[in-house]
Amino acid sequence: MNIQTDQDYHYHVMRRAIDLIDAGGTDMTLDQLAGSMGMSSAHFQRLFSAWVGVSPKRYQQYLTLGHAKTLLEDRFTTLEAAGAAGLSGTGRLHDLFLRWEAMSPGEFARKGDGLTICWGWFDSPFGPSLVMGTERGICGIGFAAEAGADATMQDLMGRWPRAAFVEDEAMLHPWVLAAYGADTARPAPLYLIGAPFQIKVWEALLQIPSGHVTSYSEIAGAIGKPRAVRAVGTAVGRNPISLLIPCHRALRKSGELGGYHWGLPVKRSILAWESARADA
């Protein structure tokens, strides 16, 4: 399927604007930003606000290193506190209304043998996204803006090499609407496919409320492995369900964003998008 859509143009304009801001344009005026995009100020403001949900100036504030540090200082939520507040397991992340279950270690060891995984391409606030799922729920989300469509497909399919893959957008569509916040009345079930240690890390990530962040060391402590910070970082990076298992909310203690499997521009965009929604 051709994943180029009418929204692609809008996404690429927003992506260029974000890249410009991130490269040092946090103090650029609306007129300067609009001129750099070849648009009038009014048109750029309308397009940006419709796409992101906040004004360009507000968004500029969310994309700075200072904002990441502010999140750590003012919105850092320990995982223990999040769990005590009922944000873990099936009760967490009420804003996306998710439920989840995990594959057994034995099933994981079979590398997807006997498993049918449906896939489809969908527009997202962060560019084209590849969504995969079984009858139990979404098992993979990848963003193609940086990696490209082919690499994104190979990446996710390579995680379960013995599974059968079938294109079926219709089956996934209701879950995708819920996942991207377009339909909050229906659940977006998740099916976690990973090794036991990875699933522990991903479960800890599921406890972080939207608009908040944590650190790799905090996650290591929360799963009872305080010295396994590097292994935690690896597990965070191998999270197959981007956005919904919020690996983008794990930052370095310095406030730096660290790495992101689908590219730092996407991570910055997701954090800014969530912060805007949290402050709305």
Side-chain angles (χ1 to χ4, degrees), residues 16 20 28-41 44:
R16 286 166 51 209
L20 183 60
M28 293 181 70
T29 66
L30 174 62
D31 290 343
Q32 290 172 327
L33 281 171
S36 297
M37 299 302 107
M39 296 180 175
S40 69
S41 297
F44 178 73

Side-chain angles (χ1 to χ4, degrees), residues 149-221:
D150 290 342
T152 302
M153 177 69 79
Q154 292 173 9
D155 186 310
L156 287 184
M157 291 180 69
R159 297 168 188 249
W160 314 291
R162 297 179 184 173
F165 292 90
V166 179
E167 183 176 9
D168 191 345
E169 292 185 0
M171 191 274 276
L172 296 167
H173 188 253
W175 296 344
V176 171
L177 291 177
Y180 295 153
D183 184 357
T184 57
R186 299 180 182 181
L190 304 185
Y191 186 41
L192 277 57
I193 302 177
F197 180 83
Q198 291 174 322
I199 289 175
K200 284 184 179 181
V201 172
W202 301 341
E203 181 181 358
L205 289 171
L206 284 166
Q207 297 178 22
I208 309 169
S210 180
H212 293 65
V213 295
T214 191
S215 68
Y216 298 114
S217 59
E218 179 75 13
I219 296 170

Side-chain angles (χ1 to χ4, degrees), residues 26-267:
T26 53
D27 294 326
M28 293 181 70
T29 66
L30 174 62
D31 290 343
Q32 290 172 327
L33 281 171
S36 297
M37 299 302 107
M39 296 180 175
S40 69
S41 297
H43 184 202
F44 178 73
Q45 173 95 349
R46 284 195 300 271
L47 178 60
F48 197 102
S49 298
W51 185 259
V52 179
V54 293
S55 69
K57 186 62 179 178
R58 189 85 175 273
Y59 201 70
Q60 283 172 296
Q61 296 169 354
Y62 290 130
L63 290 177
T64 63
L65 175 61
H67 176 63
K69 290 181 176 178
T70 299
L71 283 177
L72 281 174
E73 293 170 357
D74 298 340
R75 290 189 182 173
F76 183 88
T77 301
T78 65
L79 299 182
E80 291 86 351
L87 294 169
S88 60
T90 56
R92 76 96 189 145
L93 204 60
H94 60 282
D95 55 333
L96 289 178
F97 189 33
L98 302 179
R99 66 172 187 267
W100 66 272
E101 62 177 300
M103 172 180 278
S104 72
E107 290 174 317
F108 173 71
R110 291 195 290 270
K111 299 182 179 180
D113 187 28
L115 193 66
T116 297
I117 297 178
C118 298
W119 63 270
W121 286 100
F122 299 89
D123 291 321
S124 82
F126 321 106
S129 66
L130 174 63
V131 181
M132 294 187 173
T134 73
E135 60 182 7
R136 300 188 191 183
I138 293 173
C139 65
I141 297 179
F143 297 108
E146 298 294 312
D150 290 342
T152 302
M153 177 69 79
Q154 292 173 9
D155 186 310
L156 287 184
M157 291 180 69
R159 297 168 188 249
W160 314 291
R162 297 179 184 173
F165 292 90
V166 179
E167 183 176 9
D168 191 345
E169 292 185 0
M171 191 274 276
L172 296 167
H173 188 253
W175 296 344
V176 171
L177 291 177
Y180 295 153
D183 184 357
T184 57
R186 299 180 182 181
L190 304 185
Y191 186 41
L192 277 57
I193 302 177
F197 180 83
Q198 291 174 322
I199 289 175
K200 284 184 179 181
V201 172
W202 301 341
E203 181 181 358
L205 289 171
L206 284 166
Q207 297 178 22
I208 309 169
S210 180
H212 293 65
V213 295
T214 191
S215 68
Y216 298 114
S217 59
E218 179 75 13
I219 296 170
I223 65 172
K225 303 287 185 180
R227 298 183 179 179
V229 176
R230 181 170 296 181
V232 164
T234 299
V236 169
R238 291 295 295 170
N239 162 36
I241 310 177
S242 301
L243 182 67
L244 301 186
I245 298 178
C247 52
H248 56 277
R249 297 179 192 158
L251 308 182
R252 295 173 179 168
K253 280 189 174 182
S254 64
E256 295 176 319
L257 298 183
Y260 188 61
H261 190 78
W262 303 112
L264 281 178
V266 175
K267 181 172 185 173

